[in-house]
Coordinates of all heavy atoms in Angstrom, one line a residue:
Chain B
M34 N -65.4 -23.7 -10.1 CA -64.4 -22.6 -10.1 C -63.2 -22.9 -9.2 O -62.1 -22.8 -9.6 CB -65.1 -21.3 -9.6 CG -64.3 -20.0 -9.7 SD -63.9 -19.5 -11.4 CE -62.5 -18.5 -11.2
V51 N -40.1 -20.2 -2.6 CA -41.2 -20.0 -3.6 C -41.2 -18.6 -4.2 O -41.4 -18.4 -5.4 CB -42.5 -20.4 -3.0 CG1 -43.6 -20.1 -4.0 CG2 -42.6 -21.8 -2.5
H55 N -39.5 -8.7 -2.6 CA -39.2 -7.7 -3.6 C -39.3 -8.2 -5.0 O -39.1 -7.5 -6.0 CB -37.9 -6.9 -3.4 CG -37.8 -6.4 -2.0 ND1 -38.8 -5.6 -1.4 CD2 -36.8 -6.6 -1.1 CE1 -38.4 -5.3 -0.2 NE2 -37.2 -5.9 0.1
D60 N -48.3 -14.1 -9.0 CA -48.9 -15.4 -8.8 C -49.5 -15.6 -7.4 O -49.0 -15.1 -6.4 CB -47.9 -16.6 -9.1 CG -47.7 -16.7 -10.6 OD1 -48.5 -16.2 -11.4 OD2 -46.6 -17.3 -10.9
W68 N -46.0 -28.0 4.5 CA -46.0 -26.7 5.2 C -45.1 -25.8 4.6 O -44.0 -26.1 4.1 CB -45.6 -26.9 6.7 CG -46.6 -27.7 7.6 CD1 -47.3 -28.8 7.2 CD2 -46.9 -27.4 8.9 NE1 -48.0 -29.2 8.3 CE2 -47.8 -28.3 9.4 CE3 -46.5 -26.4 9.8 CZ2 -48.3 -28.3 10.7 CZ3 -47.0 -26.4 11.1 CH2 -47.9 -27.3 11.5
R84 N -45.9 -16.1 9.2 CA -47.1 -16.9 9.1 C -46.7 -18.3 8.7 O -45.8 -18.5 7.9 CB -48.0 -16.3 8.0 CG -49.4 -16.9 8.0 CD -50.4 -15.8 8.3 NE -51.7 -16.3 8.2 CZ -52.3 -17.1 9.0 NH1 -51.6 -17.6 10.0 NH2 -53.6 -17.5 8.9
T94 N -50.9 -13.8 -1.5 CA -51.9 -12.7 -1.9 C -51.3 -11.3 -1.8 O -51.9 -10.4 -2.3 CB -53.1 -12.8 -1.0 OG1 -52.7 -12.8 0.4 CG2 -53.9 -14.1 -1.3
C115 N -50.4 -25.5 -5.9 CA -51.1 -25.1 -7.1 C -50.9 -23.6 -7.4 O -51.1 -22.8 -6.5 CB -52.6 -25.4 -7.0 SG -52.9 -27.1 -6.6
T116 N -50.6 -23.3 -8.6 CA -50.3 -21.9 -8.9 C -51.4 -21.3 -9.9 O -51.8 -22.0 -10.7 CB -48.9 -21.8 -9.6 OG1 -48.0 -22.4 -8.8 CG2 -48.6 -20.3 -9.8
F117 N -51.7 -20.1 -9.7 CA -52.5 -19.4 -10.7 C -52.3 -17.9 -10.7 O -51.8 -17.4 -9.7 CB -54.0 -19.7 -10.5 CG -54.6 -19.3 -9.2 CD1 -55.2 -18.0 -9.0 CD2 -54.5 -20.1 -8.1 CE1 -55.7 -17.6 -7.8 CE2 -55.0 -19.7 -6.8 CZ -55.6 -18.5 -6.7
V121 N -56.8 -14.3 -12.5 CA -57.9 -15.2 -12.2 C -58.7 -14.5 -11.1 O -60.0 -14.7 -11.1 CB -57.4 -16.6 -11.7 CG1 -58.5 -17.4 -11.2 CG2 -56.6 -17.3 -12.8
V136 N -63.0 -14.8 -0.3 CA -61.6 -14.5 -0.4 C -61.2 -13.4 0.5 O -60.2 -13.3 1.2 CB -61.2 -14.3 -1.9 CG1 -59.7 -13.7 -1.9 CG2 -61.2 -15.5 -2.7
T148 N -53.0 -10.1 14.2 CA -53.2 -9.3 15.3 C -52.9 -10.1 16.6 O -52.3 -9.5 17.5 CB -54.7 -8.9 15.3 OG1 -55.0 -8.1 14.2 CG2 -55.1 -8.2 16.6
R156 N -46.3 -8.4 24.0 CA -46.7 -8.2 25.4 C -46.6 -9.5 26.2 O -47.0 -9.5 27.4 CB -48.2 -7.8 25.5 CG -48.3 -6.3 25.1 CD -47.6 -5.5 26.1 NE -47.7 -4.0 26.0 CZ -46.8 -3.2 26.4 NH1 -45.6 -3.6 26.8 NH2 -47.0 -1.9 26.2
T157 N -46.0 -10.6 25.7 CA -45.9 -11.8 26.5 C -44.5 -12.3 26.6 O -43.7 -12.0 25.7 CB -46.9 -12.9 26.0 OG1 -46.4 -13.5 24.9 CG2 -48.3 -12.3 25.7
L166 N -48.0 -20.1 20.1 CA -47.7 -20.7 18.7 C -48.3 -22.1 18.6 O -48.9 -22.4 17.6 CB -46.2 -20.7 18.5 CG -45.8 -21.2 17.1 CD1 -46.3 -20.3 16.0 CD2 -44.3 -21.3 17.0
M176 N -59.3 -26.8 12.0 CA -60.3 -26.3 11.0 C -60.3 -27.2 9.8 O -61.3 -27.3 9.1 CB -59.9 -24.8 10.6 CG -60.0 -23.9 11.8 SD -60.0 -22.1 11.2 CE -61.5 -22.0 10.3
V177 N -59.2 -27.8 9.5 CA -59.1 -28.7 8.3 C -59.4 -30.1 8.8 O -60.0 -30.9 8.0 CB -57.7 -28.6 7.7 CG1 -57.7 -29.4 6.4 CG2 -57.3 -27.2 7.4
F185 N -49.9 -33.6 17.0 CA -49.8 -33.2 15.6 C -48.3 -33.1 15.2 O -47.5 -32.8 16.1 CB -50.6 -31.9 15.4 CG -50.1 -30.7 16.2 CD1 -49.2 -29.8 15.6 CD2 -50.5 -30.6 17.5 CE1 -48.8 -28.7 16.3 CE2 -50.0 -29.5 18.2 CZ -49.1 -28.6 17.7
E192 N -34.8 -23.3 15.8 CA -34.4 -22.0 15.2 C -35.6 -21.3 14.5 O -35.8 -20.1 14.6 CB -33.3 -22.2 14.2 CG -32.9 -20.9 13.4 CD -31.4 -20.6 13.7 OE1 -30.6 -21.5 13.8 OE2 -31.1 -19.4 13.8
A213 N -42.2 -29.0 28.7 CA -42.3 -30.4 28.8 C -42.1 -30.9 30.3 O -42.8 -31.8 30.7 CB -41.2 -31.1 27.9
T226 N -47.4 -33.1 21.4 CA -48.7 -33.5 22.0 C -49.0 -32.4 23.1 O -48.2 -32.1 23.9 CB -48.7 -34.8 22.7 OG1 -48.2 -35.8 21.8 CG2 -50.0 -35.2 23.2
E230 N -54.4 -28.2 27.4 CA -54.6 -27.0 26.6 C -55.2 -25.9 27.4 O -54.9 -24.7 27.2 CB -55.6 -27.4 25.5 CG -55.0 -28.3 24.5 CD -55.8 -28.5 23.2 OE1 -56.3 -27.5 22.7 OE2 -56.0 -29.7 22.8
R231 N -56.0 -26.2 28.4 CA -56.5 -25.2 29.3 C -55.4 -24.4 29.9 O -55.4 -23.1 29.8 CB -57.4 -25.9 30.4 CG -58.3 -24.9 31.2 CD -59.5 -24.5 30.4 NE -60.2 -25.7 29.8 CZ -61.2 -26.4 30.5 NH1 -61.5 -26.0 31.7 NH2 -61.8 -27.4 29.9
G244 N -66.0 -17.9 17.4 CA -66.5 -19.1 16.6 C -66.1 -19.1 15.2 O -65.1 -18.6 14.8
W250 N -73.6 -12.1 5.8 CA -73.7 -11.0 5.0 C -73.3 -11.2 3.5 O -73.4 -10.3 2.7 CB -72.8 -9.8 5.6 CG -71.3 -10.2 5.5 CD1 -70.6 -10.9 6.4 CD2 -70.4 -9.8 4.5 NE1 -69.3 -11.0 6.0 CE2 -69.2 -10.3 4.8 CE3 -70.5 -9.0 3.3 CZ2 -68.0 -10.2 4.0 CZ3 -69.4 -8.9 2.5 CH2 -68.2 -9.4 2.9
L251 N -72.8 -12.4 3.3 CA -72.3 -12.7 1.9 C -73.3 -12.6 0.8 O -74.5 -12.9 1.1 CB -71.6 -14.0 1.9 CG -70.4 -14.2 2.8 CD1 -69.8 -15.6 2.6 CD2 -69.4 -13.1 2.6

Side-chain angles (χ1 to χ4, degrees):
Chain B
M34 185 69 199
V51 176
H55 309 307
D60 286 340
W68 291 39
R84 193 117 174 73
T94 52
C115 303
T116 306
F117 58 95
V121 175
V136 169
T148 293
R156 285 301 184 206
T157 76
L166 179 66
M176 293 191 68
V177 187
F185 60 99
E192 176 118 37
T226 307
E230 293 187 47
R231 193 76 52 89
W250 66 276
L251 296 187

